[in-house]
Amino acid sequence: MMRYTTLLATSLLVCLICTLNVFAIENKKMPDTPIQPPFLKIGDTVAIVAPAGIIKPKRAKVISNAEKLLKSWGLHVWVGRHVLAQNGHFAGTDQQRCEDFQYAMNTPAIKAIWCARGGYGSVRILDMLDYTQFLKHPKWIIGYSDITAFHCKMNTLGVATMHALMATSLEGTTNDITESLTTFKKALFGEELTYTIPPSEYNIPGDITGELVGGNLTLLSNMLGSDTSINTNGKILFFEEIGEYAYVIDRMLQSLKRAGYFENCKGIIVGDISKVKYNTTYFGKNVYELILDVVREYHIPVLFDFPSGHEPDNRAIIFGKKIALHIADDKCTVEF
């Protein structure tokens, strides 16, 4: 009987310790300010990976263009083994895309991970990845659109990321993406980023500072209800979108609103809302009015027409970094 009691007590103690360990892991406090990976310097290595949509053979040249660009800046380049792989809609199987991304995260010599394109697919490998080594030695993850899945994941892990152009932006002439390239290089090497934005009649004025978070509106909406849904409390939210109907944009914003995204948000920066689809039934408001209808009641500053998103002028911004936002009738600035 005594032996049984001892075994029972030991088992209960083990269970208690395991429970406490799980509780500690799940409730590990993230940094109040996200960790900022080291900015790059001449001689560092950048990985080019394709975690989402397929890069079709006729677009394959963008990878060599991206290599040439990085090398012209004095950087070394590692290209993922499966960047040009094909598996239906995707740049290889989930396992292949995960393999490239995992290698880039785990290799200390790689200082930044540049996503070749977006499309769709990042969310499929998000939970397949092991972030242990990455968190020990954080590095920049770079991209936009579907790469928002990674921006959200890294934000919940407490690591800053870079919202900037991708390799597919280098498909044609670089004349129309001069600002995108200039600001991308500045962001990579840690140079000052200050943007002056023309005023919009729809802006809501204000002066605030706060951590910038966000990304593509569709992805932000898709992350709701998961552990990668970002916390906007006390932060400045950025979003952009392309190719959606006005009612779909409204539906996504209403979903964010119902989830509490705007209740304690300090301000909003609206990037490019591109190629809004025509609907046979007129929505009744333009996109500016639509957005204001959702957020006006929160009495927070709103900046429209920030040049970041699915347009050639896609300025680099950093999520997880504290910024200063100034919105006035005559001048608007965003300082990183």
Side-chain angles (χ1 to χ4, degrees):
M1 182 69 179
M2 183 177 294
R3 182 181 178 187
Y4 174 79
T5 304
T6 303
L7 287 172
L8 179 61
T10 302
S11 298
L12 289 173
L13 180 60
V14 170
C15 289
L16 178 61
I17 292 172
C18 290
T19 301
L20 290 173
N21 285 339
V22 169
F23 181 82
I25 292 171
E26 291 181 347
N27 292 275
K28 183 180 179 181
K29 182 176 174 58
M30 290 295 109
D32 292 332
T33 301
I35 297 168
Q36 183 173 278
F39 290 114
L40 272 61
K41 59 185 184 299
I42 301 298
D44 281 343
T45 299
V46 177
I48 299 176
V49 299
I54 186 174
I55 299 174
K56 296 180 180 179
K58 65 180 181 180
R59 304 184 74 187
K61 188 180 178 181
V62 299
I63 302 301
S64 59
N65 290 345
E67 286 187 79
K68 291 176 184 176
L69 175 71
L70 294 174
K71 288 177 180 178
S72 74
W73 293 348
L75 300 169
H76 299 297
V77 183
W78 177 82
V79 178
R81 289 178 54 209
H82 307 292
V83 161
L84 298 177
Q86 301 179 38
N87 183 49
H89 176 91
F90 308 105
T93 64
D94 289 350
Q95 187 59 47
Q96 286 174 323
R97 303 195 319 280
C98 183
E99 182 184 313
D100 281 356
F101 211 96
Q102 190 71 67
Y103 179 85
M105 287 201 301
N106 288 1
T107 303
I110 293 174
K111 303 301 182 184
I113 303 172
W114 190 18
C115 298
R117 68 156 293 187
Y120 168 68
S122 297
V123 69
R124 292 172 63 98
I125 69 170
L126 209 57
D127 297 327
M128 296 172 62
L129 295 163
D130 182 346
Y131 301 93
T132 305
Q133 294 303 314
F134 175 85
L135 291 175
K136 291 179 180 178
H137 304 285
K139 58 194 70 177
W140 292 105
I141 292 178
I142 307 154
Y144 68 103
S145 193
D146 190 68
I147 308 307
T148 297
F150 287 105
H151 291 310
C152 290
K153 177 65 177 182
M154 295 307 155
N155 187 265
T156 61
L157 291 176
V159 180
T161 57
M162 201 172 293
H163 184 279
L165 87 173
M166 295 184 282
T168 47
S169 301
L170 304 171
E171 195 163 18
T173 175
T174 59
N175 293 337
D176 56 349
I177 61 170
T178 301
E179 288 292 343
S180 302
L181 290 171
T182 300
T183 59
F184 177 35
K185 184 178 181 182
K186 283 185 176 182
L188 271 182
F189 287 97
E191 296 180 33
E192 180 180 318
L193 291 175
T194 299
Y195 299 117
T196 300
I197 311 301
S200 166
E201 63 178 297
Y202 296 100
N203 285 348
I204 298 179
D207 282 286
I208 54 172
T209 59
E211 178 191 331
L212 184 66
V213 297
N216 177 260
L217 182 59
T218 294
L219 270 294
L220 294 175
S221 179
N222 288 346
M223 294 293 140
L224 292 176
S226 74
D227 62 0
T228 45
S229 182
I230 58 176
N231 180 358
T232 57
N233 290 343
K235 300 173 185 177
I236 299 172
L237 175 65
F238 165 89
F239 62 82
E240 57 81 28
E241 190 51 84
I242 184 172
E244 294 290 356
Y245 292 102
Y247 76 87
V248 174
I249 294 171
D250 184 67
R251 180 165 58 200
M252 291 189 289
L253 288 170
Q254 294 293 344
S255 295
L256 296 184
K257 179 178 182 178
R258 297 183 68 234
Y261 249 57
F262 308 119
E263 289 181 6
N264 297 304
C265 181
K266 292 185 74 173
I268 295 173
I269 298 176
V270 182
D272 294 313
I273 308 294
S274 307
K275 300 179 182 178
V276 178
K277 292 181 180 178
Y278 172 77
N279 193 55
T280 52
T281 303
Y282 177 54
F283 189 76
K285 299 178 185 294
N286 63 38
V287 173
Y288 298 93
E289 295 166 333
L290 180 162
I291 293 170
L292 288 176
D293 270 1
V294 177
V295 304
R296 197 193 309 272
E297 67 185 83
Y298 300 102
H299 306 291
I300 55 178
V302 179
L303 174 67
F304 285 98
D305 298 329
F306 186 86
S308 186
H310 289 76
E311 295 292 337
D313 187 359
N314 182 14
R315 312 283 176 93
I317 56 179
I318 298 175
F319 293 139
K321 188 173 178 62
K322 188 174 182 180
I323 68 168
L325 176 61
H326 168 75
I327 309 171
D329 293 335
D330 61 335
K331 187 178 180 182
C332 306
T333 57
V334 180
E335 299 178 7
F336 285 83

